[in-house]
Amino acid sequence: MNWTTLISAEELAHAIDRCVLVDCRHRLDDPQAGRRAWEAGHIPSAHFLSIDDDLSGRHDPSLGRHPLPDRETLRGKLAALGLSDDTQLVVYDDQGGAMAGRLWMLARWLGHRHVALLDGGIAAWQRAGYPMSTEAPAPATPGHLSERPTLVTLLNTAQLMAALQDGHSQIVDARPAERFQGKDTSMDPVAGHIPGAINRPLSQNLRPDGRFKPAEVLRHEWETLLAGRKPEDIIQQCGSGITANHNLLSMELAGLPGSRLYPPSWSGWISDPSRPVAKGE
């Protein structure tokens, strides 16, 4: 079997020898926390990739706090872990997929369809009683990732602004309500949201135990939010292009594929002080 959205802890336990597994744990306020957590204990055979160092590119304020990595460099890093065209990639974190969703999207950006998020993350693995390890995985035989068409649609700022003039597109912001409304100023020098955006915090995709809600529940919620729009009319964004991927995955899981992603997100939008800012609900 191949998984393209979620994989359960039980499914991973049975298929782990056929997977390339990547730990994506990260804290936005402590960039080294993820590596420390991986060193303290991880799912056996899991490699660690850093959101800042491996899954983001060279700093450029116009591209947000987490610019996309160089495409070919990323392809090489994943191939070095043993990933090939037909290999299952599994990604996980300890925040319900908020961080690992970045690599889920990036793999699809490279055209790799067989990538799934561990539903419930490392906590689900531990609750199920599966083992942990502190050993680094053995060096992998390099895989081969072909150049293939992307599976995601990304927008730059000019494309976003053009889309907002078409009368159909709708921005959905995945940040917590306090940041969307402009009440929390801790992450960015300007608080608020892109005018016209609506807020669906990524936490709304999850059950209390950190697993995703059932697909049919997500579909109902998204269709209510879409209000008659098509999935491809939706533009996902967040603070820096990391957590917006959670909503992208949520729609895919709900059977509503095709929404687009604005990677610079809020931090890229406010890099130009002439762009408008909204506050409140």
Side-chain angles (χ1 to χ4, degrees):
M1 289 184 65
N2 292 113
W3 293 266
T4 59
T5 52
L6 300 178
I7 184 170
S8 70
E10 182 179 11
E11 289 170 329
L12 175 59
H14 286 94
I16 195 166
D17 291 339
R18 297 185 281 112
C19 301
V20 170
L21 188 59
V22 179
D23 187 317
C24 300
R25 283 178 284 180
H26 182 74
R27 289 287 181 275
L28 294 174
D29 59 352
D30 183 358
Q32 297 305 313
R35 182 172 292 279
R36 291 197 305 270
W38 176 81
E39 291 172 346
H42 52 265
I43 297 175
S45 79
H47 303 270
F48 178 78
L49 289 180
S50 163
I51 292 287
D52 286 342
D53 300 330
D54 300 304
L55 305 182
S56 298
R58 182 171 54 85
H59 179 67
D60 182 335
S62 70
L63 299 179
R65 282 185 281 109
H66 291 102
L68 294 175
D70 177 76
R71 189 182 176 101
E72 293 312 308
T73 300
L74 176 65
R75 189 191 308 279
K77 286 183 178 181
L78 293 177
L81 300 184
L83 190 67
S84 292
D85 292 343
D86 296 324
T87 309
Q88 179 70 52
L89 175 62
V90 176
V91 300
Y92 73 86
D93 60 25
D94 57 0
Q95 297 183 60
M99 299 296 133
R102 170 74 160 201
L103 183 49
W104 177 83
M105 181 279 294
L106 289 175
R108 291 172 58 82
W109 181 48
L110 296 180
H112 191 74
R113 188 176 299 277
H114 304 314
V115 54
L117 186 83
L118 175 59
D119 197 14
I122 195 167
W125 178 265
Q126 291 177 297
R127 279 197 306 269
Y130 295 122
M132 297 282 285
S133 175
T134 56
E135 296 182 5
T141 300
H144 174 72
L145 285 176
S146 304
E147 176 70 37
R148 289 177 291 181
T150 184
L151 300 172
V152 294
T153 301
L154 307 181
L155 302 181
N156 59 32
T157 301
Q159 292 168 327
L160 173 72
M161 296 177 77
L164 294 179
Q165 302 302 314
D166 66 13
H168 301 290
S169 296
Q170 174 64 62
I171 298 176
V172 177
D173 191 322
R175 292 177 297 163
E178 292 77 11
R179 290 178 62 197
F180 176 83
Q181 294 170 14
K183 298 176 181 178
D184 181 348
T185 60
S186 63
M187 293 297 295
D188 293 293
V190 178
H193 59 265
I194 299 173
I198 57 177
N199 190 208
R200 180 180 168 85
L202 69 87
S203 59
Q204 293 183 12
N205 296 323
L206 300 174
R207 310 182 218 200
D209 65 359
R211 292 180 300 141
F212 274 73
K213 294 175 180 176
E216 61 272 17
V217 173
L218 291 172
R219 186 179 184 94
H220 172 74
E221 292 178 357
W222 278 109
E223 286 180 337
T224 300
L225 196 67
L226 289 173
R229 294 182 180 87
K230 299 176 182 178
E232 53 265 33
D233 294 330
I234 298 300
I235 301 170
Q236 311 285 6
Q237 59 103 173
C238 56
S240 65
I242 301 296
T243 61
N245 300 294
H246 206 274
N247 278 344
L248 197 70
L249 190 157
S250 174
M251 288 192 69
E252 190 82 19
L253 179 61
L256 298 168
S259 66
R260 296 167 288 174
L261 176 68
Y262 173 51
S265 288
W266 178 245
S267 56
W269 178 263
I270 60 172
S271 66
D272 183 342
S274 70
R275 294 181 188 136
V277 169
K279 293 187 177 182
E281 297 183 2

